[in-house]
Amino acid sequence: MKGLLGILVFIVCIKGINFAQEDKKNPVIHLLNHNGRVATISWDGNKYVEPANSQVVNFPQQLVKNNKGLYAALNGSGELYKASQQNKGVVFKRIDSTVYFGSNFDSFIFSYHDTIYSLGGYGFWKTNGLLRYYIEQRHEWEIIKLNKEVPLKIGNAYDLIWYDQLNGKIYFGFIKEGPSTTTNKDSENSIHYETIVLDLVKKEWLNLGTLSPFLKNDLTNITNISSSPFGQMIAFRTKNLVLDYSKNKIYRLSDAKQRELEELSTSTGNNHVNYFIDSTFFSWLSSKDLVDSLVFEKKDLILLDEKIYSEVPSISIDSKPGNNGKKYLVLILSGLLVAGAGYYFWKKKKLQDSFPKRQEENDNGFTIAFSPLELDLLNTILNNSSKGAYTSIEEVNKALGVSKKNIETQKKQRSDIITTINRKYAYSKRTQQELIEKRRTEFDKRSFEYFINSLRLLDAKEIIK
């Protein structure tokens, strides 16, 4: 998951926060012992429970925290486990009585007012938009009726989702569906660029507008980090942004904060666990027993002259026949489409003229573009790795044309290009694996050399071709 934190590196050394010794190596114990508002906890691929049912043993596991405790939910089933501390360890005990599974893979699991919910998901050849909640007294799940079923699924790493837990609203920058054989919808069009919000108080979906070209045209450079009190934290190109959907505003980190984040020890590696407790961000790197934290304030955010979505009046998404709001929405979106199309083609032509690209398309129809500079570097490392050799920093600098630049410029250029290549590769393959990896040199542990794992040499060759 280096692509996620290599660009953003949304992490800092512990400042003013004391951890018990076991907390430093275990995010589960830390979450169990600390109170506060936790909106989302990133999926990290770790196994927290060992289900008795062998059929669900490999289902993705997701941590959920509220005032009643810490839970592990098996995404794709209704199995729910509650954590308790025994000695210095943690034990998860199953608390539900669910029998069936398989209809809600990639659902959004969260807690609101100390009740656990599950929204959407894919299974049995269709994507659903059901909102389910767990009933403690009955140890089972029940469905809540909404004004409209909006089919959606999430992938965690590349989503545009902000859970505003304080106000009970879940914002989606765009909607993603799986292939469906049970509806008349075009199965090839799995991405819908409407920006919508689910109001958990009113049990109502509202349409906010259409995802802006600023984000829509660069989805491959977006990585979801976590829901914060200020908005959704994402990595975007080489910067970190905060998306406040409620005000339709986009912020970047201040230059000083960005520089500070980019120098931290937990910027590399896989399987990070990311979450906010109130306004404090935590990131765990379990493979290295590292944890960093940082308190964020509003003053750390700089407003950009960009929008998340092209606004329309908040209109209830209602499927009832003869609904005037729906007709009104169509008229507004038609007008926005004409204006947006002109802007889109103008910007696309401008980008193409200033930055020639080589393009490949993934199965979602997104264009994955590799610049000539990225391809040159990839080809250099590929040639060496195919011979079983590593690529030195000097060779990388030469391929990037920065050999005569100062050390700081060389370092930044290497980091930016390699991280961008890894991000595009991870997105196109839907993987957390890196295409270009690095290791410390044998004779100078302060320096690195680069390589492509033998398992991914064919992928690199396909990109070059």
Side-chain angles (χ1 to χ4, degrees), residues 28 31-32 48-50 61-74 78-86 89-97 111 114-116 134 136-137 139 141:
V28 174
L31 283 163
L32 187 60
Y48 300 102
V49 302
E50 292 294 336
Q61 299 185 11
Q62 183 176 348
L63 294 176
V64 182
K65 168 71 174 176
N66 60 30
N67 291 324
K68 293 183 178 180
L70 178 66
Y71 303 83
L74 268 61
E79 293 199 11
L80 186 65
Y81 298 76
K82 187 172 184 179
S84 61
Q85 191 162 356
Q86 293 185 6
V90 175
V91 175
F92 281 91
K93 181 181 179 181
R94 185 175 176 183
I95 59 175
D96 73 287
S97 59
S111 177
D114 295 331
T115 295
I116 297 176
Y134 178 70
E136 288 185 84
Q137 296 80 2
H139 306 288
W141 297 82

Side-chain angles (χ1 to χ4, degrees), residues 55-314:
Q55 293 177 294
V56 301
V57 70
N58 291 320
F59 283 17
Q61 299 185 11
Q62 183 176 348
L63 294 176
V64 182
K65 168 71 174 176
N66 60 30
N67 291 324
K68 293 183 178 180
L70 178 66
Y71 303 83
L74 268 61
N75 203 308
S77 77
E79 293 199 11
L80 186 65
Y81 298 76
K82 187 172 184 179
S84 61
Q85 191 162 356
Q86 293 185 6
N87 298 325
K88 293 185 178 181
V90 175
V91 175
F92 281 91
K93 181 181 179 181
R94 185 175 176 183
I95 59 175
D96 73 287
S97 59
T98 309
V99 176
Y100 302 105
F101 59 89
S103 65
N104 56 332
F105 289 101
D106 297 330
S107 61
F108 182 62
I109 302 174
F110 62 97
S111 177
Y112 179 59
H113 286 173
D114 295 331
T115 295
I116 297 176
Y117 292 80
S118 171
L119 174 64
Y122 180 82
F124 301 118
W125 302 279
K126 68 173 293 184
T127 306
N128 74 75
L130 301 177
L131 178 62
R132 302 164 289 269
Y133 73 104
Y134 178 70
I135 307 173
E136 288 185 84
Q137 296 80 2
R138 290 161 47 187
H139 306 288
E140 60 185 27
W141 297 82
E142 187 58 81
I143 291 177
I144 293 179
K145 184 178 180 180
L146 303 174
N147 65 319
K148 169 74 175 180
E149 182 178 352
V150 180
L152 58 89
K153 60 193 290 284
I154 66 173
N156 187 50
Y158 303 99
D159 296 308
L160 284 178
I161 298 176
W162 178 40
Y163 176 27
D164 182 4
Q165 191 177 43
L166 181 62
N167 295 303
K169 294 183 179 182
I170 308 174
Y171 296 85
F172 294 83
F174 62 89
I175 308 167
K176 181 163 50 181
E177 287 190 64
S180 175
T181 59
T182 62
T183 69
N184 293 324
K185 289 185 178 181
D186 181 5
S187 61
E188 297 296 326
N189 186 21
S190 62
I191 305 295
H192 309 283
Y193 294 103
E194 296 87 359
T195 299
I196 61 176
V197 56
L198 175 60
D199 189 322
L200 295 171
V201 177
K202 298 179 180 179
K203 309 294 188 295
E204 184 177 64
W205 284 103
L206 298 174
N207 189 301
L208 300 176
T210 304
L211 189 65
S212 69
F214 176 73
L215 296 173
K216 177 182 176 181
N217 296 343
D218 219 344
L219 285 178
T220 58
N221 281 316
I222 293 174
T223 299
N224 175 33
I225 306 304
S226 184
S227 290
S228 81
F230 312 108
Q232 180 192 10
M233 294 286 189
I234 67 170
F236 185 71
R237 300 174 184 166
T238 59
K239 299 294 182 182
N240 298 104
L241 303 182
V242 175
L243 310 182
D244 183 351
Y245 294 80
S246 63
K247 298 179 181 177
N248 197 14
K249 293 182 177 181
I250 300 178
Y251 301 87
R252 66 170 176 85
L253 296 185
S254 65
D255 292 338
K257 183 70 67 175
Q258 188 73 42
R259 284 194 300 270
E260 184 181 7
L261 295 175
E262 290 173 352
E263 297 174 353
L264 300 179
S265 59
T266 48
S267 62
T268 60
N270 295 320
N271 294 342
H272 289 81
V273 183
N274 301 320
Y275 54 87
F276 275 84
I277 295 183
D278 296 322
S279 61
T280 302
F281 177 74
F282 293 88
S283 185
W284 300 77
L285 183 53
S286 302
S287 61
K288 297 183 179 180
D289 294 334
L290 294 176
V291 58
D292 290 308
S293 65
L294 180 65
V295 176
F296 278 86
E297 300 180 74
K298 194 67 177 179
K299 65 181 182 180
D300 297 320
L301 308 178
I302 308 298
L303 182 65
L304 296 182
D305 187 21
E306 298 286 351
K307 299 292 186 181
I308 303 172
Y309 48 87
S310 302
E311 295 184 64
V312 298
S314 296

